[in-house]
Amino acid sequence: MAFGIPHRSSAPRNDIDEADLRVGPPQHHAAGVKAVTVALERGIEQAGLIRTSRALTRLNHREGFDCPGCAWPEPQGRRRPAEFCENGAKAVAEETTLRTVDREFFAGHSVPELLGRTDFWLGNQGRLTEPMVIREGSDHYEPISWEESFALISDRLRAIDPDRAVFYTSGRTSNEAAFVYQLMIRSYGTNNMPDCSNMCHESSGSALTESIGIGKGSVSLADIHEADLVLVVGQNPGTNHPRMLTALSETKHNGGHIVAVNPLPEAGLFNFRDPQTVSGVVGGGTDLADDFLQIKLGGDLALFQALGHLLVTAEDEKPGSVLDQEFVQGSTQGYEAYATARRQIDWDEIDRATGLDRAQIRQLADRLISSKKTIICWAMGLTQHKHSVSTLKELVNLLLIRGMIGKPGAGVCPVRGHSNVQGDRTMGIWEKMPESFLAALDAEFAITSPREHGLDTVDALRAMRDGKVDVFIGMGGNFVSATPDTAATESAMGRIGLTVQVSTKLNRSHLIRGGTGLILPALGRSDSDDAHPGGAQMVSVEDSMSMVHSSRGRLTPVSASLLSEPVIVCRLARALLGSEHPVDWEAMGADYDVIRDHVSRVVPGFTDYNRRVRTKNGFVLPHPPRDTRSFKTASGKAQITLNELTYPKVPAGRLQLQTLRSHDQYNTTIYGLDDRYRGISDARRVVLVNPQDLAELGLVDRQMVDVISEWADDPTGRTERTAAGFRVVSYPTTRGSAAAYYPEANVLIPTDSTGDVSGTPTSKSVIVRLQPV
């Protein structure tokens, strides 16, 4: 049963005025009563009281719908009444909003006018309501039918070489939509499938696959509760994964210790005031980090090698007392070479790379030695550097030599961002899926998938830049604002003859196109999907810890013209590939059980998919290192690797900049203008700088500057990029570093500056100078 729409709400008319910037002191605790009031205010403002309450009471609950925000897992046992966080509630408010962007909106707003608006203003206008097209030479979108849309797309695709088309995927896409999407793309004849993972955790997958044979984390929520030591490295859980704070507080309540390693002192690392507990409302909450190591940007590889040195030499002094020799000898390869390398250390270089006191490093080594159950969690702070893969392999080395893989309370924990980014990869959204997957896909559907690897995100940008792409299709997301080198990306997109965006809300990517542009409006997670012969449909997702569970929208969509992503793909595939194609697209679009039956025969771990996904908690996918301490590497053992020590070198008079989210956004979706934990509100074009660095640079707090990035190795010859009109804010970040919000600062990141092996943009390693305006 879908719940009705009680009333409409109006969209804001005013955009951001950067002159309204307000700065207060950073907070030292996360959540609390304020998080509850903000969450409710945003929901009621967007969707009204009744619709908001109906959505939030079903959010992340069994028989409800999965949060469209982050990929943090749900508890397997009893769930709390409010099984969501402040930012999850904001994500739902954005999706359940009663504001609409319809044909009258587009008639009254030209694309040139909309290009002058921010992502904040665009996203707050409301939900898209019907397919829209903008044709070459026009400045306005106008309505187009679904049938005409599919015909337009399929005609263009059939007229070109398949490898001149690019198919992007956002991490919000469900398992069912992702599976039929990659099936359509491979049936068409290309592997050009860039996705948002290319820009975030690709480094994690690359490192973990080489080290332990699978590119996924190995822990569960129960493991985090049970661990006696949890390292949170390069991650800001208070803003990016707030429900993780509940798990960390459980670690502390069970006697465990937490060590935070980060360049910024984020509120969520220090204290959590759980608004569903008495102490969180009227008390002091739960203190989280026992130690805080405020490391320099990109210095983590040096830290992990220093810790490795201390562990190896301690083992040398007392053999058998520090390392898990039985595991190392029986289940790993490479220890002897690793130990030889780690016995040598240049502490002066470690000091330069990390900026940490040696006593802090020794104390952390002592904690590792005394721990019986260690988990290391990380996010973008580790994955968006040139040397990220080496850094993460060194992190895994520490766990391997201690035997902290495949035992309760221990393991690797890459904390994923978007809610089904891991599931999309499992379903085949990858430009280089293994032969085993492609062979199974071909056998199931009587097709022949292409074997040549396709384009990832950065390679797709290069191909667009070089005029080698004729059609771009985006399944969700905001590609233009999410990718690096904004000016170059927009220029590259302007070369493309047809751009197609499957979306729920208006964003900047709809405004950048070369010839024809299409917007195809889709149902969201919270929307009921009832228009099927067999009744309402559900989808499924995979969380950060490899749990697969169902998601059912319950709210009446804001428009009867919206289609679900699986239906959009299946109808497009039928138009593109024809009725003689061996895949029964109509059956899959009508009944998602048919999709899941196919998945069960193609994707390992999904046997009996339809039954198991309907069980109380869904099901967990196989993970050999976790389940049996087995490793699908070439040697059959976990790999302890050798990695050259490298770290960013910042020239005099320059800073190393990292891009990050505010507390009032999720990826490129800007909910509001209150970065509450950092004390910054009502503006976004700010750059956070250590006060001592400001003094050395001859700058003062709130001074207006242009931020100019420098990269001498740019193969295009464009060595500088400028983000104009930022205000410096004195902030307690590490010396020599700076921070600014994305997408505003993405313009500074060169397209070709990417991580080794992973190809991830180096969004945390941007050398900049601040030029007074």
Side-chain angles (χ1 to χ4, degrees), residues 449-758:
S449 299
R451 263 46 180 188
E452 183 178 352
H453 290 173
L455 304 176
D456 66 8
T457 295
V458 170
D459 283 337
L461 290 173
R462 292 174 178 136
M464 293 176 196
R465 179 182 68 194
D466 296 340
K468 297 179 179 178
V469 175
D470 297 319
V471 175
F472 174 92
I473 298 179
M475 183 60 63
N478 182 359
F479 185 80
V480 166
S481 293
T483 48
D485 213 344
T486 309
T489 295
E490 293 186 357
S491 175
M493 291 287 282
R495 295 171 175 262
I496 299 174
L498 174 65
T499 58
V500 182
Q501 309 286 348
V502 180
S503 307
T504 57
K505 304 283 291 292
L506 184 64
N507 65 55
R508 189 169 181 84
S509 293
H510 301 137
L511 312 178
I512 307 296
R513 99 285 180 204
T516 301
L518 271 173
I519 300 174
L520 304 183
L523 294 172
R525 287 272 178 86
S526 58
D527 293 325
S528 61
D529 186 5
D530 295 341
H532 297 265
Q537 299 293 304
M538 70 174 189
V539 294
S540 57
V541 296
E542 177 186 345
D543 64 34
S544 252
M545 296 178 180
S546 300
M547 285 295 303
V548 178
H549 59 271
S550 64
S551 177
R552 295 175 180 269
R554 300 286 186 176
L555 301 182
T556 300
V558 294
S559 168
S561 297
L562 305 182
L563 296 179
S564 72
E565 289 179 343
V567 169
I568 291 171
V569 173
C570 288
R571 289 181 62 177
L572 173 58
R574 184 173 173 81
L576 171 64
L577 301 169
S579 59
E580 300 303 314
H581 192 264
V583 177
D584 192 344
W585 301 103
E586 188 171 349
M588 290 193 289
D591 184 353
Y592 304 167
D593 278 357
V594 177
I595 302 175
R596 287 185 285 269
D597 281 340
H598 286 302
V599 172
S600 71
R601 295 187 289 270
V602 173
V603 184
F606 283 83
T607 303
D608 204 10
Y609 192 177
N610 272 308
R611 182 191 65 80
R612 291 197 294 156
V613 80
R614 288 175 165 87
T615 58
K616 182 177 179 181
N617 293 312
F619 58 95
V620 63
L621 293 174
H623 191 288
R626 177 198 64 211
D627 301 337
T628 60
R629 281 192 160 184
S630 56
F631 304 93
K632 293 187 176 181
T633 62
S635 68
K637 295 185 175 184
Q639 299 300 299
I640 299 174
T641 58
L642 291 179
N643 304 285
E644 181 183 354
L645 176 57
T646 182
Y647 55 93
K649 313 293 195 303
V650 182
R654 304 297 188 264
L655 300 171
Q656 181 183 347
L657 180 132
Q658 64 169 325
T659 64
L660 40 68
R661 300 179 192 167
S662 85
H663 186 63
D664 225 357
Q665 75 178 92
Y666 189 78
N667 293 342
T668 58
T669 302
I670 315 301
Y671 302 136
L673 304 176
D674 188 10
D675 194 4
R676 187 170 73 249
Y677 297 157
R678 298 189 185 108
I680 298 168
S681 60
D682 296 331
R684 288 185 54 84
R685 298 184 74 84
V686 296
V687 56
L688 312 183
V689 182
N690 185 284
Q692 291 177 269
D693 288 325
L694 284 181
E696 285 189 6
L697 294 171
L699 300 172
V700 296
D701 191 28
R702 318 297 165 81
Q703 186 170 349
M704 186 73 76
V705 299
D706 289 343
V707 185
I708 303 170
S709 67
E710 302 175 345
W711 192 47
D713 297 330
D714 197 318
T716 68
R718 188 165 155 249
T719 59
E720 293 188 353
R721 291 159 176 80
T722 300
F726 276 62
R727 291 190 184 275
V728 294
V729 173
S730 179
Y731 200 84
T733 186
T734 49
R735 292 292 311 276
S737 70
Y741 303 134
Y742 70 83
E744 290 84 354
N746 283 356
V747 66
L748 299 168
I749 306 164
T751 299
D752 293 290
S753 179
T754 58
D756 296 335
V757 182
S758 68

Side-chain angles (χ1 to χ4, degrees), residues 96-108:
T96 61
T97 183
L98 298 174
R99 302 168 184 168
T100 55
V101 174
D102 52 21
R103 61 178 65 187
E104 287 78 18
F105 175 91
F106 285 111

Side-chain angles (χ1 to χ4, degrees), residues 329-342:
Q329 298 303 320
S331 300
T332 74
Q333 184 180 68
Y335 174 72
E336 293 304 328
Y338 170 82
T340 299
R342 292 288 73 77

